[in-house]
């Protein structure tokens, strides 16, 4: 029997239908990443499951039992939730944040609860902070405390609602590390996330949400490398691309550069390749294409499977390879020497030069 | 990009840090070319330069020409690996004077 079953779930806010006819079965030990564009009901789906936002229609079963408003408190003790903004009790120190639930709701003695809390704080690397108040912790530390607090209730399932979205980029990895360990330990987890590395490496299944429901689901290999449906394909393609429109020769070079740098950082592209990528982009756009054709668009695309990076510059006009017409030999040779391969294509009045790194 | 000027034994050393590209090349040009009016021997220290594009290379060529015109010299020193790759790729290693051992001040 599935630990969690959702049947024909629907959620409306007034006339606004957020989720319609969503069904899913989640087995014990599964780690499910829920991904998709903003506003497609990912968090609403999670919150409907534990009745923080009760569904307008449909049923949710936990361990075979229908969840109702009457029994939801009992269910929540077995199904924890970690929030984007931590949700710690600000007037209690770290230790009390962890122990309060077991003492008040599970009837555990204070000393027993504190013993277990200490152990949990060690596993998330924060035992030394046990007597600190939440305001004395960094965002990443707060979220690790929130996860430990959730674990203090010995839940069977944990729902994570964008657990790293409110964090500084430097703190994301410490929280992700705790979640990876938790997944390894066999915990059943549903994670709404923008961390695609986590979704790809850790989850057993990925739900891609769009159009008010689970638009496509499958193992990470399918969703990330071979998505079947059109919107999933577009979403996956986009998270691996950087696009920039150059409207004239006076465009904002610094903005484009920081976009390209960010892209390299996000995909962990090495220093040498990142430099070549930036060099090809700068020479192609500034010295080769815009002097001849004016406006153009840049698309940088990273393919993990082939370990290649493609830099495409598209421009309108008659069919012509901008590298042949360029007045600037130095720039042309830099592009040719930095790329493994360069292709020119012409279709529907648009030229595309693609450099493969 | 930042440029630090250091005078040493009648020689001017320009420490260049950051990126030498379309956006920053004019800044180096503005410092380098007039510098030959006061000093015959100029060294560009590229230890902290992480990126150079054709815009930067053009300024180096202009510097080289200015050096000749004023009977001076222009030397690159401590060139980082990233920048050296571009200099090699474009044949600039044959055109410019490059000294790779570190000069301790």
């Amino acid at each position: 029997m599935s630990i969690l079953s959702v049947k024909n779930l629907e959620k409306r806010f007034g006339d606004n239908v957020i989720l319609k006819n969503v069904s899913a079965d989640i087995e014990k030990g599964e780690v499910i990443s829920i991904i998709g564009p903003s506003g497609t009901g990912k968090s609403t789906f999670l919150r409907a499951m534990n009745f923080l936002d009760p569904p307008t229609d449909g049923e949710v079963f936990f361990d075979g039992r229908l969840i109702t408003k009457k029994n939801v408190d009992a269910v929540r003790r077995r199904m924890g939730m970690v929030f984007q903004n931590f949700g710690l009790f600000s007037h209690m120190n770290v230790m009390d944040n962890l122990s309060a639930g077991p003492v008040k709701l599970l009837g555990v003695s204070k000393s027993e609860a504190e013993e277990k809390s200490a152990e949990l704080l060690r596993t998330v690397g924060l035992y030394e902070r046990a007597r600190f108040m939440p305001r004395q912790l960094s965002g990443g530390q707060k979220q690790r405390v929130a996860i430990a607090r959730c674990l203090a209730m010995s839940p069977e399932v944990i729902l994570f609602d964008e657990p790293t979205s409110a964090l500084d980029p430097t703190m994301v990895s410490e929280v992700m590390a705790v979640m990876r360990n938790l997944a390894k330990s066999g915990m059943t987890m549903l994670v709404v996330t923008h961390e695609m590395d986590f979704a790809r490496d850790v989850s057993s299944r990925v739900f891609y949400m769009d159009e008010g429901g689970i638009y496509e689901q499958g193992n990470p290999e399918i969703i990330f490398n071979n998505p079947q449906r059109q919107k999933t394909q577009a979403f996956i393609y986009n998270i691996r691309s950087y696009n920039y429109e150059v409207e004239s020769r006076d465009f904002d070079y610094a903005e484009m550069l920081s976009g390209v740098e960010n892209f390299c950082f996000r995909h962990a592209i090495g220093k040498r390749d990142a430099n070549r990528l930036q060099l090809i982009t700068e020479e192609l756009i500034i010295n080769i294409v815009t002097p001849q054709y004016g406006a153009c668009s840049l698309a940088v695309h990273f393919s993990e499977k082939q370990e290649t990076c493609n830099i495409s510059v598209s421009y309108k006009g008659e069919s012509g390879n901008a590298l042949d017409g360029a007045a600037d030999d130095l720039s042309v040779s830099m592009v040719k020497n930095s790329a493994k391969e360069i292709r020119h294509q012409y279709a529907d009045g648009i030229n595309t030069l693609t450099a493969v790194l | 990009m930042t440029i630090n000027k250091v005078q040493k034994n009648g020689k001017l050393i320009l420490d260049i840090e950051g990126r030498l590209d379309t956006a920053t090349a004019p800044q180096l040009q503005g410092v380098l070319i007039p510098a030959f009016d006061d000093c015959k021997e100029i060294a560009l220290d590229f230890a902290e330069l992480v990126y150079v594009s054709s815009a930067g290379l053009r300024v180096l060529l202009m510097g080289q020409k200015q050096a000749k015109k004023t009977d001076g010299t222009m030397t690159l020193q401590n060139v980082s690996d990233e920048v050296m790759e571009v200099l090699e790729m474009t044949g600039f290693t044959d055109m410019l004077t490059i000294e790779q051992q570190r000069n301790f001040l």
Side-chain angles (χ1 to χ4, degrees), chain A residues 1-296:
Chain A
M1 188 187 0
S2 307
I3 184 87
L4 202 56
S5 262
V6 179
K7 297 213 189 310
N8 308 319
L9 184 137
E10 185 168 306
K11 181 70 192 175
R12 284 188 305 265
F13 290 107
D15 289 339
N16 201 354
V17 182
I18 308 292
L19 298 170
K20 49 178 190 267
N21 210 15
V22 182
S23 297
D25 291 316
I26 289 116
E27 308 302 323
K28 230 180 160 70
E30 274 203 288
V31 176
I32 300 205
S33 290
I34 303 171
I35 63 170
S38 305
T40 46
K42 303 185 295 292
S43 294
T44 307
F45 178 53
L46 221 55
R47 296 170 67 87
M49 268 190 255
N50 72 351
F51 275 50
L52 278 176
D53 280 325
T56 321
D57 210 344
E59 294 163 323
V60 184
F61 296 87
F62 183 85
D63 206 7
R65 273 178 66 202
L66 179 68
I67 306 180
T68 62
K69 279 180 186 156
K70 273 189 187 157
N71 69 11
V72 71
D73 284 337
V75 169
R76 282 192 196 140
R77 275 170 220 162
R78 300 170 61 190
M79 181 158 69
M81 185 151 182
V82 174
F83 301 90
Q84 188 176 346
N85 290 313
F86 328 122
L88 297 176
F89 305 121
S90 58
H91 61 289
M92 290 183 189
N93 70 22
V94 167
M95 176 58 84
D96 291 343
N97 259 284
L98 265 70
S99 313
V103 170
K104 285 191 181 142
L105 300 171
L106 304 180
V108 176
S109 75
K110 192 161 191 245
S111 64
E112 204 181 318
E114 292 201 342
E115 202 176 308
K116 186 175 180 193
S117 301
E119 187 191 315
L120 287 169
L121 285 174
R122 280 195 191 94
T123 63
V124 299
L126 287 171
Y127 179 65
E128 284 184 345
R129 300 281 188 275
R131 302 293 161 196
F132 279 49
M133 298 302 281
R135 65 171 179 278
Q136 295 172 296
L137 303 176
S138 72
Q141 291 171 334
K142 281 182 202 166
Q143 195 59 297
R144 284 187 280 153
V145 171
I147 293 171
R149 182 180 64 177
C150 200
L151 292 170
M153 294 292 287
S154 309
E156 289 154 70
V157 176
I158 303 183
L159 312 176
F160 292 86
D161 189 5
E162 301 200 23
T164 57
S165 296
L167 298 179
D168 248 35
T170 52
M171 293 171 188
V172 170
S173 62
E174 64 188 61
V175 173
M176 282 320 217
V178 167
M179 292 176 61
R180 279 168 195 265
N181 284 336
L182 202 52
K184 258 189 227 153
S185 77
M187 176 62 73
T188 310
M189 297 161 68
L190 277 85
V191 188
V192 173
T193 187
H194 295 289
E195 295 298 323
M196 294 303 150
D197 287 348
F198 179 88
R200 188 173 38 228
D201 303 342
V202 183
S203 26
S204 49
R205 252 195 305 166
V206 178
F207 290 176
Y208 171 75
M209 289 191 71
D210 210 328
E211 293 185 348
I214 301 169
Y215 179 87
E216 183 169 351
Q217 61 162 302
N219 65 37
E221 169 68 21
I222 297 275
I223 296 293
F224 285 99
N225 293 331
N226 195 15
Q228 302 297 305
R229 298 189 65 193
Q230 189 249 327
K231 284 198 170 175
T232 323
Q233 288 167 352
F235 180 81
I236 296 296
Y237 184 86
N238 265 330
I239 55 174
R240 293 181 177 184
S241 301
Y242 171 70
N243 295 283
Y244 192 84
E245 291 299 319
V246 175
E247 280 162 18
S248 74
R249 292 189 70 173
D250 301 318
F251 76 103
D252 189 344
Y253 171 72
E255 185 183 56
M256 181 186 80
L257 177 67
S258 79
V260 171
E261 281 179 325
N262 251 325
F263 175 86
C264 293
F265 177 75
R266 246 186 18 237
H267 295 286
I269 295 173
K271 211 161 121 189
R272 191 160 170 264
D273 282 338
N275 257 333
R276 289 178 167 217
L277 198 163
Q278 290 170 31
L279 191 65
I280 292 172
T281 306
E282 179 178 343
E283 301 303 337
L284 269 182
I285 290 190
I286 302 216
N287 298 317
I288 296 170
V289 175
T290 49
Q292 299 178 74
Y293 295 88
C296 61

